Every structure is written in structure tokens, then in C-alpha cells.
Amino acid sequence: MTKLISIIVPCFNEQEVFVETNRRLKAVMSQLPIEQYQYEIIYVNDGSVDQTLPLIKQALTEDKHLKCLSFSRNFGHQIAITAGLDACKGDAAVVIDADLQDPPTVILEMISLWEKGYDVVFGKRKDRVGESSFKLLTAKYFYKLINRLSDVDIPRDTGDFRLMDRNALNQFLLMRESYRFVRGMVAWIGFNQTFVEYDRESRFAGQTKYPLKKMLRLASDAILSFSNTPLKIATFVGFITSIAAFIGIVYSLYVRLFTKSWVEGWTFLMIAILLIGGIILLVLGIIGEYVGRIYGEIKQRPLYIVKDKMGFDD
Ligand code: UDP
Ligand code: MG
């Protein structure tokens, strides 16, 4: 029986790389023995405003293996991945970036590990060429932090380049939360996971679609959806300030009742007010981050809106 492999490629303004990516993916997938494997490539157009969509449409007319989901606007990388996984039919699904930083040939290694019985095979970056030292440094400390804060073990040096077996994928798809950190969610489901190491290339062309703002949002989604530790820290800070406040109260009463110098102490008063005020706002902010996400989840909006679906049978 032939097995179907689904390749999912999120694309946001990737006109400079799309044609080459499509060529390389097809070249790799056509190396698989046709009597054993079928494949489909699903391009998820995440609200691109350049020529990406026309290029995808053009490619679709030339090849029956290709499919496209086109969003009504930009919903973000993690949501685009989810949409592709929702729509795919494969016995295994592979998510890969459109910019050729993840070499398509690694897919073949992933498939052979999958055939050995692994449910999830993720790509682990051995070497990262052409990424800023700022990105490397922040990534390193981010993974240290998230692994300390959360209960699930999120593998270091991995992105969203991975293969998932249908079984694991179906479990993943049951999680419909709006604030998504896909690599953490995949770690959370468990199953038999392994990795292949690869050298991460620099972007084939074009600019990164992850400016600092999007990176920070991903990082805060990751921490807040996988850990309640910030809330515990807030409680702890509140506790310590309460003790300090109590000592301050006893001291003030003592000065007022048993000494004659009770008008003094203005500096102490100011420090106390500002410190406690600051801490209250900080703690409220942390709580607010969680409340905001509860609000986002409770609306139960669809995760994304597909404007156009092309190349699918149904
Ligand atoms: N991407 C997306 N939506 C976005 C941002 C990025 O679909 O809002 C896609 C992008 O087209 C690429 C992948 O996500 O295929 C990773 O983005 P990028 O390579 O720019 O991130 P980096 O490798 O710089 O972290
Ligand atoms: Mg990239």
C-alpha cells in the first residue's frame, strides 16, 4: 500500500524564494519510490501582500501534487502551520519553512526514521549559518528559560521543521488553543520522538519575516502557555512586600507613640509608597497577561480564515 506524505509550507511574502523552494521540494519528493510513496505539498499563504500567491497559483496549474490554502489576512506562522496540518491527508506530515533554511533533503532522513517506528522526528540545528549573534544568544537563553519554567521538555535548537505521524498529528490537532507555541505543544503530546541533526543554512533570499516584535510575542506565548511560574513569582513578590510593609507599620507606630521625632521620615514614606505602588502594578501586569489570554481563548474564534482553497479534491 502506498503511503501519503504531506509537506506543509507556510509562506508570508516569500516571492523571492518561492520558485526555488518549490523546485527543490519537488526534486526531493520525486526521489521517493513511487510505488511506496505519494506526496502532496500544501502551501499556506499567510496573507502575503507581494507576488507569493500568484506564484503559488501558477505552480498549481503545472503540478497535481500541489495544494494551496490562502488566508484572508496575516495570521502568523504558528497558525499557518496549524491550518496546513488541519488540511493535510498524509500518513505523515512534514512542516518546513519556505526560505530553504531547512534543507529539503533532510525530509528523506525524517521519513526513514519514521519508517523505523518514530512518531515525531524533529530537525535539530547543528550549525546556524547567517543568523545574527543577537538571535543566537536570545534563542539560547530563551530555551534555557522556558525549560526551567515549564514542565514539558522542549528540545533546544529546534524550530518547526519536523515530521509527525498521523497518530501523533491527530492528537496535536485536538488542541485548539489560540495562543500557540507549536514546538511546545508537540513536545507536550509525547509519543516516540527523535531528531535528525542538520546544518541550518542562511535564508535563500528575502528578509526574515520574524521581526523582534513577532519574536517577543512568540516567546511570551510560549512562556505564558506553558508555565504558571510568573504567577507564582508575583505571589512571592507580594508576600515579601507584605512582610516589609508590616515591619514599616510597626516602625511608624513606634516612632509616633514613643519618640518625639515623628514628623521626620518623609524619605521613608516616599520610598515605601513608590516601591509598593510599583510592585502592585508589576504584579497586576503579570496577572493581566494571563487574563488577556483567557479572554482571547474564551471568545472561541476560529484560529484562521481561509479565503481560497485550491487543488484540494473536496
Ligand atoms: N511566516 C508566516 N507568517 C508570518 C511570518 C512568517 O507564514 O507571519 C513563514 C515564513 O514565510 C517562513 C517561516 O514562516 O516560511 C519562517 O519565517 P522566517 O524564515 O522569516 O523566520 P526566521 O527563520 O527568520 O526565524
Ligand atoms: Mg527562516
Side-chain angles (χ1 to χ4, degrees):
M1 213 187 75
T2 59
K3 296 174 179 167
L4 178 67
I5 312 281
S6 303
I7 310 288
I8 285 122
V9 195
C11 304
F12 175 53
N13 294 345
E14 298 290 7
Q15 61 181 11
E16 292 93 348
V17 296
F18 176 77
V19 173
E20 179 64 11
T21 304
N22 186 42
R23 191 186 66 75
R24 296 250 294 261
L25 280 174
K26 288 199 307 191
V28 166
M29 295 314 286
S30 54
Q31 285 174 32
L32 290 169
I34 196 152
E35 57 293 347
Q36 278 178 48
Y37 298 102
Q38 300 273 5
Y39 73 91
E40 60 177 2
I41 303 179
I42 303 179
Y43 291 105
V44 184
N45 172 40
D46 186 11
S48 303
V49 289
D50 64 354
Q51 292 302 305
T52 305
L53 186 59
L55 287 171
I56 296 177
K57 282 184 177 162
Q58 172 62 29
L60 248 70
T61 60
E62 291 158 9
D63 191 337
K64 284 268 163 288
H65 294 106
L66 310 187
K67 296 169 184 185
C68 173
L69 290 177
S70 188
F71 283 173
S72 59
R73 64 168 169 86
N74 179 252
F75 280 89
H77 179 211
Q78 304 288 301
I79 302 286
I81 292 174
T82 308
L85 291 170
D86 277 336
C88 79
K89 294 258 158 44
D91 299 294
V94 180
V95 174
I96 185 167
D97 283 356
D99 59 358
L100 294 172
Q101 281 195 286
D102 313 321
T105 44
V106 177
I107 296 175
L108 300 179
E109 292 173 56
M110 289 180 168
I111 292 175
S112 73
L113 281 167
W114 170 57
E115 291 290 6
K116 287 191 183 127
Y118 288 102
D119 302 297
V120 176
V121 187
F122 52 86
K124 196 167 162 60
R125 299 153 182 181
K126 215 164 43 183
D127 203 13
R128 297 170 87 169
V129 199
E131 289 199 274
S132 66
S133 43
F134 175 74
K135 185 147 192 173
L136 295 184
L137 198 75
T138 47
K140 185 173 151 210
Y141 283 103
F142 169 71
Y143 281 102
K144 275 212 168 116
L145 180 70
I146 182 96
N147 274 318
R148 265 198 103 130
L149 292 183
S150 74
D151 307 331
V152 282
D153 202 8
I154 297 165
R156 305 240 167 115
D157 297 318
T158 65
D160 289 306
F161 182 29
R162 74 166 60 69
L163 176 146
M164 291 175 84
D165 177 69
R166 174 50 64 185
N167 236 337
L169 178 59
N170 283 342
Q171 300 309 314
F172 169 82
L173 292 178
L174 290 179
M175 294 189 260
R176 303 313 292 176
E177 61 212 64
S178 323
Y179 297 87
R180 303 176 83 78
F181 182 59
V182 171
R183 61 202 82 155
M185 294 160 69
V186 175
W188 185 86
I189 59 172
F191 287 91
N192 222 346
Q193 309 211 0
T194 189
F195 60 87
V196 281
E197 281 194 313
Y198 70 101
D199 290 324
R200 188 151 160 100
E201 318 259 331
S202 48
R203 203 171 226 287
F204 177 74
Q207 296 290 322
T208 175
K209 305 300 176 311
Y210 258 99
L212 188 62
K213 201 174 133 206
K214 274 190 185 169
M215 250 164 71
L216 287 177
R217 197 185 308 150
L218 182 69
S220 59
D221 282 349
I223 290 170
L224 297 175
S225 11
F226 280 91
S227 168
N228 284 331
T229 309
L231 283 176
K232 289 181 191 141
I233 295 172
T235 312
F236 181 74
V237 170
F239 183 68
I240 297 293
T241 1
S242 303
I243 292 177
F246 181 73
I247 296 171
I249 289 168
V250 171
Y251 169 76
S252 318
L253 285 177
Y254 168 79
V255 173
R256 175 66 182 82
L257 295 176
F258 300 108
T259 72
K260 293 209 159 58
S261 60
W262 48 272
V263 212
E264 287 169 22
W266 181 84
T267 314
F268 174 75
L269 201 66
M270 285 312 282
I271 291 175
I273 291 174
L274 293 177
L275 186 72
I276 295 185
I279 289 171
I280 290 174
L281 289 180
L282 176 86
V283 168
L284 265 182
I286 295 175
I287 297 172
E289 284 291 323
Y290 284 93
V291 174
R293 282 171 166 74
I294 295 171
Y295 181 53
E297 296 291 358
I298 208 116
K299 282 189 273 195
Q300 301 234 328
R301 291 199 183 153
L303 291 178
Y304 52 84
I305 295 172
V306 175
K307 191 170 150 208
D308 264 320
K309 210 172 168 185
M310 288 159 277
F312 290 87
D313 307 331
D314 37 29

